[in-house]
mmCIF file of all heavy atoms in Angstrom:
data_model
loop_
_atom_site.group_PDB
_atom_site.id
_atom_site.type_symbol
_atom_site.label_atom_id
_atom_site.label_comp_id
_atom_site.label_asym_id
_atom_site.label_seq_id
_atom_site.Cartn_x
_atom_site.Cartn_y
_atom_site.Cartn_z
ATOM 1 N N VAL A 15 87.801 48.062 93.752
ATOM 2 C CA VAL A 15 88.852 48.124 92.727
ATOM 3 C C VAL A 15 88.510 49.209 91.689
ATOM 4 O O VAL A 15 89.385 49.740 91.021
ATOM 5 C CB VAL A 15 89.056 46.749 92.042
ATOM 6 C CG1 VAL A 15 88.014 46.517 90.943
ATOM 7 C CG2 VAL A 15 90.437 46.625 91.454
ATOM 8 N N LEU A 16 87.232 49.533 91.607
ATOM 9 C CA LEU A 16 86.746 50.530 90.657
ATOM 10 C C LEU A 16 86.821 51.932 91.263
ATOM 11 O O LEU A 16 87.343 52.860 90.669
ATOM 12 C CB LEU A 16 85.317 50.173 90.250
ATOM 13 C CG LEU A 16 84.605 51.045 89.228
ATOM 14 C CD1 LEU A 16 85.413 51.123 87.945
ATOM 15 C CD2 LEU A 16 83.204 50.470 88.927
ATOM 16 N N HIS A 17 86.277 52.089 92.444
ATOM 17 C CA HIS A 17 86.406 53.314 93.247
ATOM 18 C C HIS A 17 86.032 52.972 94.678
ATOM 19 O O HIS A 17 85.264 52.033 94.922
ATOM 20 C CB HIS A 17 85.541 54.465 92.701
ATOM 21 C CG HIS A 17 84.058 54.179 92.704
ATOM 22 N ND1 HIS A 17 83.121 55.032 93.184
ATOM 23 C CD2 HIS A 17 83.351 53.108 92.260
ATOM 24 C CE1 HIS A 17 81.909 54.511 93.038
ATOM 25 N NE2 HIS A 17 82.017 53.354 92.493
ATOM 26 N N VAL A 18 86.585 53.705 95.617
ATOM 27 C CA VAL A 18 86.402 53.362 97.029
ATOM 28 C C VAL A 18 84.990 53.723 97.469
ATOM 29 O O VAL A 18 84.576 54.875 97.367
ATOM 30 C CB VAL A 18 87.450 54.068 97.906
ATOM 31 C CG1 VAL A 18 87.198 53.761 99.374
ATOM 32 C CG2 VAL A 18 88.868 53.621 97.503
ATOM 33 N N HIS A 19 84.254 52.711 97.951
ATOM 34 C CA HIS A 19 82.876 52.901 98.408
ATOM 35 C C HIS A 19 82.841 53.218 99.894
ATOM 36 O O HIS A 19 83.769 52.883 100.633
ATOM 37 C CB HIS A 19 82.049 51.639 98.140
ATOM 38 C CG HIS A 19 81.836 51.357 96.688
ATOM 39 N ND1 HIS A 19 82.853 51.070 95.815
ATOM 40 C CD2 HIS A 19 80.699 51.312 95.942
ATOM 41 C CE1 HIS A 19 82.354 50.864 94.598
ATOM 42 N NE2 HIS A 19 81.056 51.006 94.656
ATOM 43 N N ASP A 20 81.726 53.807 100.326
ATOM 44 C CA ASP A 20 81.540 54.020 101.763
ATOM 45 C C ASP A 20 80.698 52.913 102.395
ATOM 46 O O ASP A 20 80.872 52.598 103.560
ATOM 47 C CB ASP A 20 80.919 55.399 102.056
ATOM 48 C CG ASP A 20 79.658 55.673 101.220
ATOM 49 O OD1 ASP A 20 79.265 54.809 100.406
ATOM 50 O OD2 ASP A 20 79.067 56.770 101.357
ATOM 51 N N LEU A 21 79.800 52.293 101.625
ATOM 52 C CA LEU A 21 78.954 51.218 102.148
ATOM 53 C C LEU A 21 79.115 49.955 101.300
ATOM 54 O O LEU A 21 79.110 50.023 100.065
ATOM 55 C CB LEU A 21 77.473 51.637 102.140
ATOM 56 C CG LEU A 21 77.071 52.798 103.061
ATOM 57 C CD1 LEU A 21 75.597 53.118 102.856
ATOM 58 C CD2 LEU A 21 77.344 52.471 104.518
ATOM 59 N N VAL A 22 79.210 48.810 101.980
ATOM 60 C CA VAL A 22 79.375 47.548 101.253
ATOM 61 C C VAL A 22 78.100 47.205 100.477
ATOM 62 O O VAL A 22 78.149 46.487 99.477
ATOM 63 C CB VAL A 22 79.780 46.407 102.221
ATOM 64 C CG1 VAL A 22 78.609 45.977 103.084
ATOM 65 C CG2 VAL A 22 80.341 45.217 101.456
ATOM 66 N N ASP A 23 76.952 47.710 100.934
ATOM 67 C CA ASP A 23 75.700 47.464 100.217
ATOM 68 C C ASP A 23 75.777 47.992 98.779
ATOM 69 O O ASP A 23 75.275 47.375 97.842
ATOM 70 C CB ASP A 23 74.516 48.119 100.936
ATOM 71 C CG ASP A 23 74.332 47.590 102.342
ATOM 72 O OD1 ASP A 23 75.142 47.932 103.221
ATOM 73 O OD2 ASP A 23 73.402 46.808 102.566
ATOM 74 N N TYR A 24 76.417 49.151 98.611
ATOM 75 C CA TYR A 24 76.578 49.718 97.263
ATOM 76 C C TYR A 24 77.558 48.877 96.436
ATOM 77 O O TYR A 24 77.409 48.772 95.217
ATOM 78 C CB TYR A 24 77.064 51.164 97.333
ATOM 79 C CG TYR A 24 76.076 52.126 97.957
ATOM 80 C CD1 TYR A 24 76.496 53.279 98.628
ATOM 81 C CD2 TYR A 24 74.707 51.887 97.895
ATOM 82 C CE1 TYR A 24 75.596 54.153 99.200
ATOM 83 C CE2 TYR A 24 73.789 52.758 98.467
ATOM 84 C CZ TYR A 24 74.248 53.881 99.117
ATOM 85 O OH TYR A 24 73.350 54.746 99.685
ATOM 86 N N VAL A 25 78.552 48.298 97.118
ATOM 87 C CA VAL A 25 79.492 47.397 96.438
ATOM 88 C C VAL A 25 78.722 46.221 95.835
ATOM 89 O O VAL A 25 78.894 45.875 94.661
ATOM 90 C CB VAL A 25 80.583 46.886 97.419
ATOM 91 C CG1 VAL A 25 81.367 45.719 96.799
ATOM 92 C CG2 VAL A 25 81.528 48.008 97.804
ATOM 93 N N SER A 26 77.873 45.601 96.645
ATOM 94 C CA SER A 26 77.104 44.441 96.185
ATOM 95 C C SER A 26 76.175 44.814 95.042
ATOM 96 O O SER A 26 76.038 44.068 94.063
ATOM 97 C CB SER A 26 76.283 43.849 97.341
ATOM 98 O OG SER A 26 77.124 43.481 98.402
ATOM 99 N N GLU A 27 75.530 45.967 95.172
ATOM 100 C CA GLU A 27 74.605 46.434 94.131
ATOM 101 C C GLU A 27 75.341 46.628 92.804
ATOM 102 O O GLU A 27 74.862 46.200 91.749
ATOM 103 C CB GLU A 27 73.980 47.762 94.593
ATOM 104 C CG GLU A 27 72.832 48.266 93.752
ATOM 105 C CD GLU A 27 72.353 49.615 94.276
ATOM 106 O OE1 GLU A 27 71.988 49.710 95.467
ATOM 107 O OE2 GLU A 27 72.369 50.573 93.500
ATOM 108 N N GLU A 28 76.505 47.269 92.875
ATOM 109 C CA GLU A 28 77.320 47.512 91.687
ATOM 110 C C GLU A 28 77.826 46.196 91.097
ATOM 111 O O GLU A 28 77.815 46.001 89.877
ATOM 112 C CB GLU A 28 78.504 48.398 92.092
ATOM 113 C CG GLU A 28 79.334 48.961 90.960
ATOM 114 C CD GLU A 28 80.406 49.887 91.527
ATOM 115 O OE1 GLU A 28 81.463 49.400 91.927
ATOM 116 O OE2 GLU A 28 80.173 51.096 91.600
ATOM 117 N N ALA A 29 78.256 45.280 91.974
ATOM 118 C CA ALA A 29 78.785 43.987 91.522
ATOM 119 C C ALA A 29 77.713 43.153 90.821
ATOM 120 O O ALA A 29 77.993 42.447 89.848
ATOM 121 C CB ALA A 29 79.363 43.224 92.708
ATOM 122 N N LYS A 30 76.476 43.237 91.310
ATOM 123 C CA LYS A 30 75.370 42.518 90.651
ATOM 124 C C LYS A 30 75.200 43.012 89.215
ATOM 125 O O LYS A 30 74.969 42.220 88.294
ATOM 126 C CB LYS A 30 74.067 42.714 91.432
ATOM 127 C CG LYS A 30 74.007 41.899 92.715
ATOM 128 C CD LYS A 30 72.732 42.198 93.498
ATOM 129 C CE LYS A 30 72.708 41.424 94.819
ATOM 130 N NZ LYS A 30 71.529 41.811 95.640
ATOM 131 N N ARG A 31 75.330 44.329 89.032
ATOM 132 C CA ARG A 31 75.241 44.897 87.678
ATOM 133 C C ARG A 31 76.383 44.384 86.810
ATOM 134 O O ARG A 31 76.172 44.002 85.651
ATOM 135 C CB ARG A 31 75.294 46.426 87.742
ATOM 136 C CG ARG A 31 73.977 47.093 88.088
ATOM 137 C CD ARG A 31 74.164 48.591 88.283
ATOM 138 N NE ARG A 31 74.801 49.232 87.143
ATOM 139 C CZ ARG A 31 75.515 50.354 87.211
ATOM 140 N NH1 ARG A 31 75.676 50.952 88.387
ATOM 141 N NH2 ARG A 31 76.059 50.874 86.122
ATOM 142 N N ALA A 32 77.590 44.328 87.369
ATOM 143 C CA ALA A 32 78.746 43.847 86.606
ATOM 144 C C ALA A 32 78.543 42.393 86.193
ATOM 145 O O ALA A 32 78.825 42.014 85.044
ATOM 146 C CB ALA A 32 80.020 43.985 87.437
ATOM 147 N N GLY A 33 78.045 41.579 87.119
ATOM 148 C CA GLY A 33 77.780 40.164 86.821
ATOM 149 C C GLY A 33 76.736 39.994 85.734
ATOM 150 O O GLY A 33 76.879 39.177 84.812
ATOM 151 N N SER A 34 75.680 40.805 85.818
ATOM 152 C CA SER A 34 74.601 40.745 84.833
ATOM 153 C C SER A 34 75.090 41.168 83.445
ATOM 154 O O SER A 34 74.782 40.521 82.437
ATOM 155 C CB SER A 34 73.450 41.642 85.305
ATOM 156 O OG SER A 34 72.453 41.716 84.374
ATOM 157 N N HIS A 35 75.875 42.257 83.392
ATOM 158 C CA HIS A 35 76.393 42.743 82.094
ATOM 159 C C HIS A 35 77.423 41.774 81.503
ATOM 160 O O HIS A 35 77.486 41.603 80.289
ATOM 161 C CB HIS A 35 77.006 44.132 82.246
ATOM 162 C CG HIS A 35 75.978 45.213 82.504
ATOM 163 N ND1 HIS A 35 74.916 45.424 81.656
ATOM 164 C CD2 HIS A 35 75.856 46.114 83.510
ATOM 165 C CE1 HIS A 35 74.169 46.415 82.133
ATOM 166 N NE2 HIS A 35 74.719 46.844 83.252
ATOM 167 N N ALA A 36 78.218 41.148 82.357
ATOM 168 C CA ALA A 36 79.164 40.139 81.881
ATOM 169 C C ALA A 36 78.413 38.964 81.261
ATOM 170 O O ALA A 36 78.822 38.422 80.220
ATOM 171 C CB ALA A 36 80.060 39.664 83.028
ATOM 172 N N ALA A 37 77.296 38.588 81.884
ATOM 173 C CA ALA A 37 76.457 37.503 81.348
ATOM 174 C C ALA A 37 75.897 37.888 79.976
ATOM 175 O O ALA A 37 75.872 37.066 79.045
ATOM 176 C CB ALA A 37 75.325 37.187 82.323
ATOM 177 N N ASP A 38 75.447 39.149 79.837
ATOM 178 C CA ASP A 38 74.942 39.636 78.539
ATOM 179 C C ASP A 38 76.042 39.556 77.476
ATOM 180 O O ASP A 38 75.798 39.158 76.335
ATOM 181 C CB ASP A 38 74.469 41.089 78.662
ATOM 182 C CG ASP A 38 73.223 41.230 79.512
ATOM 183 O OD1 ASP A 38 72.522 40.220 79.713
ATOM 184 O OD2 ASP A 38 72.960 42.358 80.007
ATOM 185 N N TYR A 39 77.259 39.958 77.873
ATOM 186 C CA TYR A 39 78.396 39.936 76.945
ATOM 187 C C TYR A 39 78.690 38.512 76.479
ATOM 188 O O TYR A 39 78.925 38.268 75.288
ATOM 189 C CB TYR A 39 79.632 40.534 77.633
ATOM 190 C CG TYR A 39 80.904 40.423 76.822
ATOM 191 C CD1 TYR A 39 81.179 41.334 75.812
ATOM 192 C CD2 TYR A 39 81.821 39.394 77.059
ATOM 193 C CE1 TYR A 39 82.340 41.227 75.052
ATOM 194 C CE2 TYR A 39 82.982 39.282 76.317
ATOM 195 C CZ TYR A 39 83.234 40.194 75.311
ATOM 196 O OH TYR A 39 84.384 40.085 74.555
ATOM 197 N N ILE A 40 78.645 37.565 77.401
ATOM 198 C CA ILE A 40 78.939 36.162 77.065
ATOM 199 C C ILE A 40 77.863 35.594 76.133
ATOM 200 O O ILE A 40 78.160 34.835 75.206
ATOM 201 C CB ILE A 40 79.079 35.326 78.364
ATOM 202 C CG1 ILE A 40 80.353 35.764 79.106
ATOM 203 C CG2 ILE A 40 79.125 33.835 78.077
ATOM 204 C CD1 ILE A 40 80.383 35.371 80.572
ATOM 205 N N ARG A 41 76.614 36.002 76.369
ATOM 206 C CA ARG A 41 75.512 35.545 75.496
ATOM 207 C C ARG A 41 75.703 36.027 74.053
ATOM 208 O O ARG A 41 75.339 35.338 73.108
ATOM 209 C CB ARG A 41 74.165 36.045 76.032
ATOM 210 C CG ARG A 41 73.558 35.126 77.072
ATOM 211 C CD ARG A 41 72.084 35.446 77.313
ATOM 212 N NE ARG A 41 71.926 36.700 78.014
ATOM 213 C CZ ARG A 41 71.952 36.827 79.342
ATOM 214 N NH1 ARG A 41 72.114 35.774 80.100
ATOM 215 N NH2 ARG A 41 71.803 38.000 79.913
ATOM 216 N N CYS A 42 76.276 37.237 73.892
ATOM 217 C CA CYS A 42 76.497 37.790 72.547
ATOM 218 C C CYS A 42 77.800 37.292 71.907
ATOM 219 O O CYS A 42 78.128 37.668 70.782
ATOM 220 C CB CYS A 42 76.549 39.326 72.592
ATOM 221 S SG CYS A 42 75.026 40.103 73.044
ATOM 222 N N TRP A 43 78.537 36.453 72.624
ATOM 223 C CA TRP A 43 79.877 36.058 72.196
ATOM 224 C C TRP A 43 79.881 35.432 70.802
ATOM 225 O O TRP A 43 80.714 35.763 69.947
ATOM 226 C CB TRP A 43 80.445 35.063 73.220
ATOM 227 C CG TRP A 43 81.817 34.559 72.886
ATOM 228 C CD1 TRP A 43 82.126 33.403 72.230
ATOM 229 C CD2 TRP A 43 83.063 35.171 73.183
ATOM 230 N NE1 TRP A 43 83.472 33.267 72.114
ATOM 231 C CE2 TRP A 43 84.098 34.345 72.692
ATOM 232 C CE3 TRP A 43 83.429 36.348 73.817
ATOM 233 C CZ2 TRP A 43 85.449 34.646 72.825
ATOM 234 C CZ3 TRP A 43 84.789 36.661 73.952
ATOM 235 C CH2 TRP A 43 85.774 35.826 73.465
ATOM 236 N N ASP A 44 78.951 34.529 70.584
ATOM 237 C CA ASP A 44 78.916 33.792 69.319
ATOM 238 C C ASP A 44 78.013 34.431 68.267
ATOM 239 O O ASP A 44 77.869 33.890 67.173
ATOM 240 C CB ASP A 44 78.459 32.355 69.571
ATOM 241 C CG ASP A 44 79.466 31.604 70.452
ATOM 242 O OD1 ASP A 44 80.686 31.804 70.258
ATOM 243 O OD2 ASP A 44 79.024 30.838 71.330
ATOM 244 N N ALA A 45 77.399 35.545 68.596
ATOM 245 C CA ALA A 45 76.491 36.186 67.640
ATOM 246 C C ALA A 45 77.268 36.691 66.422
ATOM 247 O O ALA A 45 78.361 37.235 66.542
ATOM 248 C CB ALA A 45 75.753 37.344 68.308
ATOM 249 N N GLU A 46 76.681 36.493 65.239
ATOM 250 C CA GLU A 46 77.361 36.935 64.008
ATOM 251 C C GLU A 46 77.456 38.453 63.948
ATOM 252 O O GLU A 46 78.476 39.021 63.588
ATOM 253 C CB GLU A 46 76.591 36.413 62.789
ATOM 254 C CG GLU A 46 76.723 34.901 62.602
ATOM 255 C CD GLU A 46 76.036 34.423 61.366
ATOM 256 O OE1 GLU A 46 75.710 35.256 60.485
ATOM 257 O OE2 GLU A 46 75.803 33.196 61.241
ATOM 258 N N GLN A 47 76.374 39.128 64.280
ATOM 259 C CA GLN A 47 76.352 40.584 64.277
ATOM 260 C C GLN A 47 76.394 41.099 65.719
ATOM 261 O O GLN A 47 75.388 41.293 66.349
ATOM 262 C CB GLN A 47 75.082 41.094 63.563
ATOM 263 C CG GLN A 47 75.041 40.816 62.070
ATOM 264 C CD GLN A 47 75.981 41.715 61.305
ATOM 265 O OE1 GLN A 47 76.081 42.870 61.597
ATOM 266 N NE2 GLN A 47 76.682 41.176 60.333
ATOM 267 N N ARG A 48 77.600 41.278 66.217
ATOM 268 C CA ARG A 48 77.724 41.807 67.571
ATOM 269 C C ARG A 48 77.613 43.327 67.522
ATOM 270 O O ARG A 48 78.281 43.993 66.726
ATOM 271 C CB ARG A 48 79.051 41.387 68.203
ATOM 272 C CG ARG A 48 79.213 39.892 68.337
ATOM 273 C CD ARG A 48 80.498 39.487 68.985
ATOM 274 N NE ARG A 48 80.531 39.879 70.393
ATOM 275 C CZ ARG A 48 81.257 40.834 70.878
ATOM 276 N NH1 ARG A 48 82.017 41.541 70.077
ATOM 277 N NH2 ARG A 48 81.255 41.125 72.157
ATOM 278 N N PRO A 49 76.756 43.919 68.376
ATOM 279 C CA PRO A 49 76.562 45.362 68.303
ATOM 280 C C PRO A 49 77.820 46.136 68.713
ATOM 281 O O PRO A 49 78.555 45.720 69.598
ATOM 282 C CB PRO A 49 75.420 45.608 69.317
ATOM 283 C CG PRO A 49 75.444 44.431 70.234
ATOM 284 C CD PRO A 49 75.973 43.281 69.450
ATOM 285 N N ASP A 50 78.056 47.244 68.043
ATOM 286 C CA ASP A 50 79.170 48.121 68.378
ATOM 287 C C ASP A 50 78.611 49.523 68.631
ATOM 288 O O ASP A 50 78.120 50.179 67.733
ATOM 289 C CB ASP A 50 80.196 48.159 67.241
ATOM 290 C CG ASP A 50 81.386 49.051 67.585
ATOM 291 O OD1 ASP A 50 81.577 49.340 68.781
ATOM 292 O OD2 ASP A 50 82.091 49.494 66.660
ATOM 293 N N PHE A 51 78.674 49.924 69.878
ATOM 294 C CA PHE A 51 78.081 51.204 70.252
ATOM 295 C C PHE A 51 79.125 52.280 70.551
ATOM 296 O O PHE A 51 78.826 53.307 71.131
ATOM 297 C CB PHE A 51 77.179 51.021 71.484
ATOM 298 C CG PHE A 51 76.029 50.085 71.236
ATOM 299 C CD1 PHE A 51 76.094 48.773 71.645
ATOM 300 C CD2 PHE A 51 74.898 50.515 70.586
ATOM 301 C CE1 PHE A 51 75.039 47.907 71.414
ATOM 302 C CE2 PHE A 51 73.843 49.658 70.353
ATOM 303 C CZ PHE A 51 73.900 48.343 70.764
ATOM 304 N N LYS A 52 80.357 52.042 70.172
ATOM 305 C CA LYS A 52 81.430 52.971 70.505
ATOM 306 C C LYS A 52 81.154 54.383 69.991
ATOM 307 O O LYS A 52 81.432 55.368 70.639
ATOM 308 C CB LYS A 52 82.769 52.475 69.949
ATOM 309 C CG LYS A 52 83.356 51.287 70.722
ATOM 310 C CD LYS A 52 83.934 51.727 72.053
ATOM 311 C CE LYS A 52 84.573 50.572 72.788
ATOM 312 N NZ LYS A 52 84.948 50.923 74.185
ATOM 313 N N GLU A 53 80.591 54.462 68.763
ATOM 314 C CA GLU A 53 80.391 55.788 68.170
ATOM 315 C C GLU A 53 79.295 56.568 68.874
ATOM 316 O O GLU A 53 79.196 57.782 68.709
ATOM 317 C CB GLU A 53 80.092 55.645 66.678
ATOM 318 C CG GLU A 53 78.862 54.796 66.420
ATOM 319 C CD GLU A 53 78.929 54.183 65.037
ATOM 320 O OE1 GLU A 53 80.012 53.753 64.632
ATOM 321 O OE2 GLU A 53 77.898 54.165 64.392
ATOM 322 N N GLN A 54 78.448 55.906 69.624
ATOM 323 C CA GLN A 54 77.352 56.589 70.300
ATOM 324 C C GLN A 54 77.668 56.845 71.780
ATOM 325 O O GLN A 54 76.783 56.985 72.592
ATOM 326 C CB GLN A 54 76.070 55.758 70.201
ATOM 327 C CG GLN A 54 75.659 55.529 68.754
ATOM 328 C CD GLN A 54 74.785 54.306 68.601
ATOM 329 O OE1 GLN A 54 74.791 53.424 69.417
ATOM 330 N NE2 GLN A 54 74.026 54.260 67.538
ATOM 331 N N GLU A 55 78.928 56.895 72.123
ATOM 332 C CA GLU A 55 79.342 57.028 73.511
ATOM 333 C C GLU A 55 79.218 58.477 73.984
ATOM 334 O O GLU A 55 79.656 59.402 73.317
ATOM 335 C CB GLU A 55 80.788 56.553 73.654
ATOM 336 C CG GLU A 55 81.133 56.018 75.000
ATOM 337 C CD GLU A 55 82.414 55.219 75.020
ATOM 338 O OE1 GLU A 55 83.459 55.751 74.606
ATOM 339 O OE2 GLU A 55 82.373 54.079 75.450
ATOM 340 N N ILE A 56 78.623 58.644 75.163
ATOM 341 C CA ILE A 56 78.484 59.968 75.781
ATOM 342 C C ILE A 56 79.427 60.037 76.976
ATOM 343 O O ILE A 56 79.408 59.168 77.850
ATOM 344 C CB ILE A 56 77.033 60.222 76.245
ATOM 345 C CG1 ILE A 56 76.081 60.204 75.056
ATOM 346 C CG2 ILE A 56 76.919 61.543 76.993
ATOM 347 C CD1 ILE A 56 74.616 60.185 75.459
ATOM 348 N N LYS A 57 80.232 61.074 77.024
ATOM 349 C CA LYS A 57 81.167 61.254 78.139
ATOM 350 C C LYS A 57 80.468 62.019 79.269
ATOM 351 O O LYS A 57 79.722 62.959 79.022
ATOM 352 C CB LYS A 57 82.392 62.036 77.650
ATOM 353 C CG LYS A 57 83.497 62.188 78.677
ATOM 354 C CD LYS A 57 84.700 62.897 78.052
ATOM 355 C CE LYS A 57 85.852 63.013 79.047
ATOM 356 N NZ LYS A 57 85.574 63.930 80.102
ATOM 357 N N ILE A 58 80.705 61.601 80.501
ATOM 358 C CA ILE A 58 80.198 62.345 81.663
ATOM 359 C C ILE A 58 81.308 63.274 82.143
ATOM 360 O O ILE A 58 82.365 62.817 82.581
ATOM 361 C CB ILE A 58 79.762 61.407 82.807
ATOM 362 C CG1 ILE A 58 78.659 60.450 82.332
ATOM 363 C CG2 ILE A 58 79.279 62.227 84.004
ATOM 364 C CD1 ILE A 58 78.213 59.456 83.386
ATOM 365 N N GLU A 59 81.057 64.565 82.037
ATOM 366 C CA GLU A 59 82.044 65.557 82.486
ATOM 367 C C GLU A 59 81.658 66.039 83.887
ATOM 368 O O GLU A 59 80.535 66.481 84.118
ATOM 369 C CB GLU A 59 82.067 66.738 81.511
ATOM 370 C CG GLU A 59 83.152 67.772 81.810
ATOM 371 C CD GLU A 59 83.155 68.888 80.787
ATOM 372 O OE1 GLU A 59 83.449 68.612 79.595
ATOM 373 O OE2 GLU A 59 82.833 70.028 81.174
#
């Protein structure tokens, strides 16, 4: 859904990262000071 892969192994690897980052996001859900890194964003050209 993100981009068409050639190997399903890479799909699983990428999905594990998504699951892990989603878990990190949920852990920070109730934190009073949630970090905002938008201003430090680097674009890949």
Side-chain angles (χ1 to χ4, degrees):
V15 82
L16 182 57
H17 62 132
V18 177
H19 293 64
D20 51 359
L21 295 177
V22 73
D23 300 73
Y24 294 152
V25 167
S26 302
E27 190 183 303
E28 190 176 84
K30 285 176 183 175
R31 279 174 54 206
S34 175
H35 290 304
D38 291 341
Y39 174 81
I40 292 161
R41 274 195 289 273
C42 294
W43 179 265
D44 296 321
E46 289 183 16
Q47 292 286 319
R48 299 181 68 252
D50 181 18
F51 298 99
K52 286 285 183 189
E53 59 205 40
Q54 300 157 338
E55 208 164 56
I56 298 169
K57 185 176 182 290
I58 301 178
E59 185 178 295

